[in-house]
């Protein structure tokens, strides 16, 4: 168990099993409703590569990528508005960040067998003084964290179901990625797989 401050890893804050099993299951049900309104799809990088994760979003804005680049959009690629961020996610955001400002986007990534995410920085938001909050559900993932100025050197640790990670302050722009997921390591999702939520304040006006 950890205290309220969580564990510190390279300026990140990690709360192990911050969500208990009942809260995890309830959140999966919330996310089923999100995915019913805004289905998971396979994003394509600006360079034309299909990503191995499937994505959707909740909130005023969703993060998208296609041949036009990485950006936030007020609509799912199908044209529907993104569904609202589940209240349990907003409650956790307020508890962990202490902010009065709610996130604009809750990006939902699904990692099936073999999915991973290369090292990257989250830098499509307008104001890096706001943190990014990450919630892990389902199978364990080997998370890699690098530097802020440079991707390397890196170190890795496993994220497990119910873990909550805060990227704030000096660590807000740290390089990070997911090397692999241990498929079937958690029984939370009946078919296996991992869901990761990242909440972001986008803080820019958008049209549309
Ligand atoms: C991300 O950086 O968007 C996802 C991180 C994770 O899956 O833990
Ligand atoms: Mn990221």
């Amino acid at each position: 168990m950890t205290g309220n401050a969580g564990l510190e890893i390279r300026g990140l804050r990690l709360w192990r099993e911050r969500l208990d099993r009942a809260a995890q299951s309830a959140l999966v049900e919330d996310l089923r409703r999100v995915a019913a309104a805004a289905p998971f799809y396979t994003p394509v990088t600006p360079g034309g590569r299909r990503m191995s994760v499937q994505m959707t979003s909740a909130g005023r804005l969703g993060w998208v990528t296609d041949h036009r680049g990485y950006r936030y959009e007020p609509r799912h690629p199908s044209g529907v508005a993104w569904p609202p961020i589940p209240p349990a996610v907003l409650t956790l955001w307020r508890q962990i960040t202490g902010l009065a400002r709610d996130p604009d986007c809750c990006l939902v990534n699904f990692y099936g067998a073999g999915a991973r995410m290369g090292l990257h920085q989250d830098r499509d938001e307008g104001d890096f003084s706001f943190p990014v909050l990450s919630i892990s559900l389902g199978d364990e993932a080997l998370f890699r964290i690098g530097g802020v100025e440079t991707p390397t050197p890196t170190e890795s640790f496993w994220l497990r179901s119910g873990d909550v990670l805060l990227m704030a302050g000096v660590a807000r722009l740290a390089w990070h990625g997911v090397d692999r997921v241990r498929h079937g390591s958690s029984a939370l999702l009946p078919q296996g797989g991992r869901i990761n939520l990242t909440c972001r304040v986008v803080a820019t006006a958008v049209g549309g």
Side-chain angles (χ1 to χ4, degrees):
M1 294 299 292
T2 60
N4 283 342
L7 299 167
E8 191 269 331
I9 305 171
R10 292 209 183 183
L12 302 177
R13 286 271 155 199
L14 172 62
W15 290 266
R16 289 288 189 198
E17 292 179 69
R18 175 66 176 71
L19 299 179
D20 65 16
R21 184 58 185 234
Q24 295 169 36
S25 297
L27 191 45
V28 169
E29 289 311 308
D30 290 341
L31 295 171
R32 288 192 201 288
R33 284 188 285 275
V34 167
F40 282 102
Y41 63 94
T42 301
V44 176
T45 66
R49 242 181 354 94
R50 284 163 64 85
M51 292 180 73
S52 58
V53 296
Q54 293 182 285
M55 282 185 184
T56 189
S57 287
R60 186 174 75 84
L61 295 168
W63 187 85
V64 299
T65 171
D66 58 20
H67 67 281
R68 290 167 49 209
Y70 301 136
R71 63 195 183 280
Y72 286 92
E73 289 281 359
R75 290 179 183 277
H76 184 275
S78 68
V80 298
W82 305 104
I85 298 176
V89 174
L90 293 177
T91 299
L92 187 67
W93 166 274
R94 292 170 193 152
Q95 286 173 349
I96 297 273
T97 69
L99 291 171
R101 172 76 153 88
D102 282 340
D104 299 301
C105 172
C106 174
L107 174 66
V108 186
N109 290 322
F110 177 75
Y111 296 74
R116 57 184 299 279
M117 186 170 293
L119 271 182
H120 65 277
Q121 291 171 296
D122 288 358
R123 51 180 319 135
D124 300 317
E125 302 73 34
D127 183 345
F128 303 137
S129 68
F130 288 106
V132 171
L133 183 72
S134 155
I135 305 169
S136 292
L137 295 168
D139 289 339
E140 301 173 1
L142 188 58
F143 186 84
R144 185 177 290 275
I145 171 87
V148 172
E149 303 298 335
T150 57
T152 56
T154 65
E155 64 186 281
S156 304
F157 56 93
W158 290 92
L159 285 176
R160 292 188 287 268
S161 198
D163 287 355
V164 171
L165 186 68
L166 185 70
M167 300 182 70
V170 287
R172 169 63 179 80
L173 285 172
W175 288 78
H176 61 281
V178 171
D179 288 355
R180 62 194 169 91
V181 169
R182 264 190 202 133
H183 193 76
S185 54
S186 160
L188 185 70
L189 304 175
Q191 315 282 317
R194 171 177 187 256
I195 297 173
N196 175 259
L197 308 179
T198 44
C199 297
R200 301 103 184 270
V201 171
V202 179
T204 51
V206 290

